[in-house]
Amino acid sequence: MNRDSAVWESWKRALVTLPDTTFFAWMRHYLGPLQTPFNKQNLIQDLIQRVSSPDATRVRRLLLTDSDLDILAALKHLGPSSAPDLANWLDLSEAVLRLRLLNLEERLWLFHQTAPQVLYQVSPFTLEDEMAELLTETRFYAGLPAQPAGDVIPLATESHFLALYAALDEFPQELTQGQTWKKKPRAELLAKFAGLTPEDGLDKLLRACENLGLVTWDGPLLRLVDSYWEDLGRLSATDRTALLATAFGPWKGQFLNEAAKAFWEFASKLRPSTAYSWRTLRRFSGQIFAWRTPEDREALLKAWTTIGLFLPGPENDTWVFHPPLVTPGPTILEANFEWRLAPGSPWYEAWSAVRASRLLRCDRLSHFELTKPRVQHAIARGLTAIALQKSLSTLIGHDLPQNIAITIQEWEAQTRQVQLWSGLILRVDPAKAPLLQHAEQFAQAVLETLAPGVFLIDPDSLELVSRDLQQLGLPALPPPQTAKRPLDGSPWSFSRWSAPLPVVGEAPPPTWVPPVDPLPAQKLTEHWQKQIEDSPLQEEEKEELLGRLRRRLMIEERQLSFPVTHKEKLEARGLDFLGKMRLLEQVLANPFDLIDVETRQAEPADTLTLRPLKLDRQANEVLLKAQDPDSGKVYLLPISRLTRVRRLRGSLS
């Protein structure tokens, strides 16, 4: 690389503007004792020559970890970035990331500029041609070839939702005063879904229905919102898939509305039969603006692993996306009125049959039975024998057996011997009535034809009726005040809802980036560690050199003989209360230092690596508040219970 290029000049300028303490600490670490007088520009040239030597270059690259490469590749991919933006992209806590950024900066892989804000960018050493393969953008979207998912049926499949509708319609659920399920209806419901996987699949389905507004609470009673179930059936299969899958996430109402519209955008980023690491899936989801916060995205992805939308891949912590667009299997209707709804069966065509059936059980398939009480119950709510017969014949692919068709007609006739209707009466010019009756939307809205040109219509279907009237040249109907859709707690209407399919090409072929082999670096550091431990240096000097070795700052054996500037005490043990306090105060003054502590909280003693946050002095004790830099867990540790405190330097200065 041309060492007069802009990136070299930016890096040199960043070095020159470092505080003198930091600048000279770095130079002494890499170059050894400095000869006076100092000239920063000359020292930088010496530094470049030293770390660019073939041996030093080989060792520096050998010591790079996967975590190091992720950060460097992200900066190369994103360009100059702030720590918060980089932490969000890498899915790391900002505190942990800042420690790693400082370490990589001291190892000369990146640098930062402070004006107009602190931005990190890769150093010219990172942009060398030999690094390109290690820092390819594909490491963020790496995937492995995986076997097709086979016949796994996700919980978000339409047939499972329809099975739940039939069960809830037959066994309404209710809460006790203590906000627990009433035992008998709950037991009856659980029995229907005993074969469903996962074990808590029923509760997941219920929550998804509640998020969608398909069920709503009326005091202690859980009620079905029939109009929403029917509206959902009118959507396309892809739109319905987006809604049902996203409903298992953390959103409700309008937030769910927006999140579901981005489902296919996310799906377009993943290739079929390809396994992705969890971190890669997080990065993909982070590109979906509608999925709001990292916590929301994490909750959605984790939910999908439990309902079968993500299946385990061939490597540990890899997942294969398995959207629930199941190819419909045959729906089988037996002579004894039992029938099985196959996954992937069209919702709207199955809707009438489900309303008129009782659920026998739901496992991989949904098993129903047409019974007289259920058929008459559905007919009393507006279903007709013709609509039911059409629904069943569409599902099974041929005409109904004669005995079943005749029985359904008989049950309808018995039901209609006494009828009580609730609806709106529409009167149309008799000359136009025959044309209107052939309009598909109008036919669905008619509950009963009372006389020529006089119809009893569903109040919820006024918009459809009005549209057909306009197409026939008749005035549109303004919705009457008394016919407003009841407030049922549902967040939005599914009418004309759509989740757009992105107009993009196929997702890029995945390239699996194998993890770094840690053994060569481990052998090298173990060799140097033994040399340090066997050296005649003072204990404090050994600890300082070992700390630098752990932080992968040593790149040449000659550095082991360089004098170190830090010779203060780095460890306090046992009853040395003042020594432990002094060490902790020093670490608190440097936000990049960590501590190793051993406690007497358990046997054997626990060893923790922590980032101190504060010392809290109480009447008879001093408590250390500290945080695990990886998990974020916060500890409160009495100083008197710490058997050892060791300072782990986070920087050279």
Side-chain angles (χ1 to χ4, degrees), residues 379 383-390 400 405 408-409 412 416:
I379 289 174
L383 183 65
T384 65
I386 293 176
L388 176 55
Q389 291 169 343
K390 180 181 178 182
L400 294 183
I408 290 174
Q409 292 170 359
E412 180 186 43
R416 297 193 184 283

Side-chain angles (χ1 to χ4, degrees), residues 29 42 68 72 77 97 166 193 196 221 236 245 284 314 318 322 357 368 387 398 425 475 478 496 500 585 606 617 639:
H29 170 72
N42 291 339
D68 296 334
L72 296 177
H77 172 58
L97 177 65
F193 292 87
L196 191 65
L221 298 175
S236 69
F284 280 130
T318 60
H322 179 47
S357 303
F368 297 91
H398 55 78
I425 295 177
R496 297 185 299 279
E585 288 169 350
D606 293 328
R617 290 173 171 81
I639 301 300

Side-chain angles (χ1 to χ4, degrees), residues 15 18-19 22-23 25-26 29-30 68 71-72 75 83 86 94-112 118 120-121 551-553 590-594 648-653:
L15 284 182
L18 287 172
T22 302
F23 177 85
W26 291 15
H29 170 72
Y30 287 106
D68 296 334
I71 294 173
L72 296 177
L75 282 174
L86 198 57
E94 191 174 334
V96 171
L97 177 65
R98 288 187 183 277
L99 290 172
R100 294 178 181 174
L101 288 172
L102 174 64
N103 178 253
L104 286 168
E105 191 166 10
E106 291 186 333
R107 291 159 63 190
L108 309 180
W109 290 114
L110 58 84
F111 65 101
H112 74 272
V118 177
Y120 294 88
Q121 63 188 89
R551 302 200 306 276
R552 299 175 178 253
L553 291 165
N590 189 329
F592 297 109
D593 285 359
L594 300 177
L648 302 177
R649 285 195 169 278
S651 67
L652 290 169
S653 55

Side-chain angles (χ1 to χ4, degrees), residues 314-560:
E315 296 288 338
N316 185 40
D317 197 33
T318 60
W319 300 88
V320 183
F321 187 53
H322 179 47
L325 284 176
V326 182
T327 302
T331 295
I332 300 173
L333 176 62
E334 305 286 357
N336 63 355
F337 291 78
E338 292 185 8
W339 60 284
R340 297 191 295 275
L341 181 64
S345 299
W347 180 297
Y348 194 74
E349 284 74 2
W351 170 244
S352 296
V354 169
R355 292 173 64 198
S357 303
R358 64 184 289 259
L359 179 68
L360 297 176
R361 66 184 183 279
C362 177
D363 37 50
R364 284 179 53 82
L365 303 178
S366 298
H367 302 256
F368 297 91
E369 180 186 16
L370 290 165
T371 65
K372 182 177 180 179
R374 295 298 301 164
V375 171
Q376 291 185 328
H377 175 69
I379 289 174
R381 292 190 298 172
L383 183 65
T384 65
I386 293 176
L388 176 55
Q389 291 169 343
K390 180 181 178 182
S391 174
L392 288 167
S393 61
T394 300
L395 290 173
I396 64 177
H398 55 78
D399 291 339
L400 294 183
Q402 190 172 9
N403 70 310
I404 294 179
I406 293 174
T407 302
I408 290 174
Q409 292 170 359
E410 290 176 350
W411 288 344
E412 180 186 43
Q414 294 171 15
T415 305
R416 297 193 184 283
Q417 290 175 358
V418 177
Q419 300 180 64
L420 179 64
W421 291 96
S422 174
L424 294 175
I425 295 177
L426 174 68
R427 186 178 65 80
V428 182
D429 184 339
K432 296 285 187 179
L435 295 175
L436 191 60
Q437 285 178 279
H438 291 293
E440 180 181 357
Q441 303 290 353
F442 181 79
Q444 294 175 0
V446 173
L447 300 175
E448 186 75 7
T449 301
L450 303 177
V454 182
F455 307 95
L456 184 69
I457 63 171
D458 181 0
D460 290 335
S461 302
L462 288 180
E463 185 179 347
L464 301 178
V465 174
S466 182
R467 195 179 307 151
D468 282 344
L469 289 172
Q470 285 182 301
Q471 291 176 355
L472 293 173
L474 295 172
L477 290 177
Q481 295 297 316
T482 55
K484 283 186 176 179
R485 191 181 190 123
L487 295 176
D488 50 28
S490 301
W492 75 88
S493 171
F494 296 126
S495 178
R496 297 185 299 279
W497 189 92
S498 178
L501 295 173
V503 185
V504 295
E506 190 177 21
T511 302
W512 182 252
V513 180
V516 171
D517 182 1
L519 286 179
Q522 182 179 335
K523 289 180 179 179
L524 177 64
T525 54
E526 286 176 351
H527 172 67
W528 285 350
Q529 178 179 341
K530 188 175 187 307
Q531 286 187 262
I532 294 172
E533 291 172 345
D534 294 343
S535 71
L537 296 173
Q538 296 180 14
E539 198 62 32
E540 290 80 4
E541 293 176 300
K542 290 182 180 180
E543 287 296 334
E544 176 64 25
L545 288 174
L546 289 172
R548 296 184 185 189
L549 188 62
R550 283 193 295 268
R551 302 200 306 276
R552 299 175 178 253
L553 291 165
M554 312 299 281
I555 62 172
E556 292 182 298
E557 191 168 325
R558 76 176 82 182
Q559 289 175 285
L560 304 182

Side-chain angles (χ1 to χ4, degrees), residues 155-455:
L155 187 63
T157 303
E158 298 181 358
S159 59
H160 290 148
F161 280 85
L162 291 171
L164 182 59
Y165 173 90
L168 290 175
D169 197 29
E170 185 178 5
F171 303 111
Q173 299 297 294
E174 186 175 354
L175 294 178
T176 65
Q177 290 184 348
Q179 297 300 299
T180 59
W181 294 107
K182 281 199 171 180
K183 291 183 178 179
K184 184 178 179 181
R186 174 68 173 177
E188 290 170 328
L189 187 65
L190 286 171
K192 301 293 185 182
F193 292 87
L196 191 65
T197 55
E199 290 185 3
D200 61 346
L202 173 60
D203 289 327
K204 292 182 185 297
L205 275 173
L206 277 171
R207 283 195 296 271
C209 287
E210 190 173 353
N211 290 344
L212 285 165
L214 298 174
V215 296
T216 187
W217 288 100
D218 182 6
L221 298 175
L222 186 66
R223 296 195 182 278
L224 292 162
V225 184
D226 276 27
S227 59
Y228 272 63
W229 289 83
E230 188 168 1
D231 286 350
L232 199 57
R234 291 192 174 98
L235 300 181
S236 69
T238 54
D239 286 346
R240 201 161 43 247
T241 294
L243 278 167
L244 299 185
T246 314
F248 289 89
W251 305 287
K252 290 185 177 183
Q254 192 61 31
F255 292 137
L256 173 55
N257 177 16
E258 296 304 320
K261 288 182 178 180
F263 175 83
W264 291 112
E265 179 187 352
F266 174 77
S268 70
K269 299 178 183 297
L270 309 179
R271 289 174 65 91
S273 301
T274 301
Y276 295 95
S277 70
W278 190 253
R279 180 175 290 182
T280 299
L281 292 173
R282 283 173 171 168
R283 292 192 182 113
F284 280 130
S285 68
Q287 299 174 27
I288 309 300
F289 177 77
W291 289 1
R292 303 173 67 78
T293 66
E295 293 76 17
D296 285 348
R297 297 193 292 270
E298 183 83 357
L300 178 66
L301 296 180
K302 284 185 176 178
W304 284 352
T305 66
T306 66
I307 66 170
L309 261 71
F310 281 125
L311 302 176
E315 296 288 338
N316 185 40
D317 197 33
T318 60
W319 300 88
V320 183
F321 187 53
H322 179 47
L325 284 176
V326 182
T327 302
T331 295
I332 300 173
L333 176 62
E334 305 286 357
N336 63 355
F337 291 78
E338 292 185 8
W339 60 284
R340 297 191 295 275
L341 181 64
S345 299
W347 180 297
Y348 194 74
E349 284 74 2
W351 170 244
S352 296
V354 169
R355 292 173 64 198
S357 303
R358 64 184 289 259
L359 179 68
L360 297 176
R361 66 184 183 279
C362 177
D363 37 50
R364 284 179 53 82
L365 303 178
S366 298
H367 302 256
F368 297 91
E369 180 186 16
L370 290 165
T371 65
K372 182 177 180 179
R374 295 298 301 164
V375 171
Q376 291 185 328
H377 175 69
I379 289 174
R381 292 190 298 172
L383 183 65
T384 65
I386 293 176
L388 176 55
Q389 291 169 343
K390 180 181 178 182
S391 174
L392 288 167
S393 61
T394 300
L395 290 173
I396 64 177
H398 55 78
D399 291 339
L400 294 183
Q402 190 172 9
N403 70 310
I404 294 179
I406 293 174
T407 302
I408 290 174
Q409 292 170 359
E410 290 176 350
W411 288 344
E412 180 186 43
Q414 294 171 15
T415 305
R416 297 193 184 283
Q417 290 175 358
V418 177
Q419 300 180 64
L420 179 64
W421 291 96
S422 174
L424 294 175
I425 295 177
L426 174 68
R427 186 178 65 80
V428 182
D429 184 339
K432 296 285 187 179
L435 295 175
L436 191 60
Q437 285 178 279
H438 291 293
E440 180 181 357
Q441 303 290 353
F442 181 79
Q444 294 175 0
V446 173
L447 300 175
E448 186 75 7
T449 301
L450 303 177
V454 182
F455 307 95

Side-chain angles (χ1 to χ4, degrees), residues 32-195:
L34 304 179
Q35 301 297 321
T36 56
F38 300 125
N39 181 294
K40 286 190 175 183
Q41 297 294 344
N42 291 339
L43 289 175
I44 291 174
Q45 291 301 323
D46 292 343
L47 175 67
I48 292 172
Q49 290 183 0
R50 178 66 58 85
V51 300
S52 298
S53 69
D55 287 343
T57 298
R58 179 185 63 82
V59 172
R60 290 178 69 239
R61 292 176 183 169
L62 186 70
L63 294 174
L64 286 168
T65 65
D66 280 311
S67 175
D68 296 334
L69 293 172
D70 281 347
I71 294 173
L72 296 177
L75 282 174
K76 184 179 177 184
H77 172 58
L78 299 174
S81 303
S82 67
D85 289 344
L86 198 57
N88 183 56
W89 171 259
L90 292 167
D91 196 34
L92 290 172
S93 75
E94 191 174 334
V96 171
L97 177 65
R98 288 187 183 277
L99 290 172
R100 294 178 181 174
L101 288 172
L102 174 64
N103 178 253
L104 286 168
E105 191 166 10
E106 291 186 333
R107 291 159 63 190
L108 309 180
W109 290 114
L110 58 84
F111 65 101
H112 74 272
Q113 297 176 323
T114 56
Q117 61 173 319
V118 177
L119 295 177
Y120 294 88
Q121 63 188 89
V122 293
S123 76
F125 297 108
T126 309
L127 296 174
E128 292 172 341
D129 293 341
E130 294 79 4
M131 293 291 293
E133 186 175 347
L134 291 173
L135 303 181
T136 173
E137 182 183 335
T138 57
R139 75 179 295 110
F140 296 117
Y141 307 105
L144 277 172
Q147 294 297 321
D151 60 352
V152 175
I153 299 174
L155 187 63
T157 303
E158 298 181 358
S159 59
H160 290 148
F161 280 85
L162 291 171
L164 182 59
Y165 173 90
L168 290 175
D169 197 29
E170 185 178 5
F171 303 111
Q173 299 297 294
E174 186 175 354
L175 294 178
T176 65
Q177 290 184 348
Q179 297 300 299
T180 59
W181 294 107
K182 281 199 171 180
K183 291 183 178 179
K184 184 178 179 181
R186 174 68 173 177
E188 290 170 328
L189 187 65
L190 286 171
K192 301 293 185 182
F193 292 87

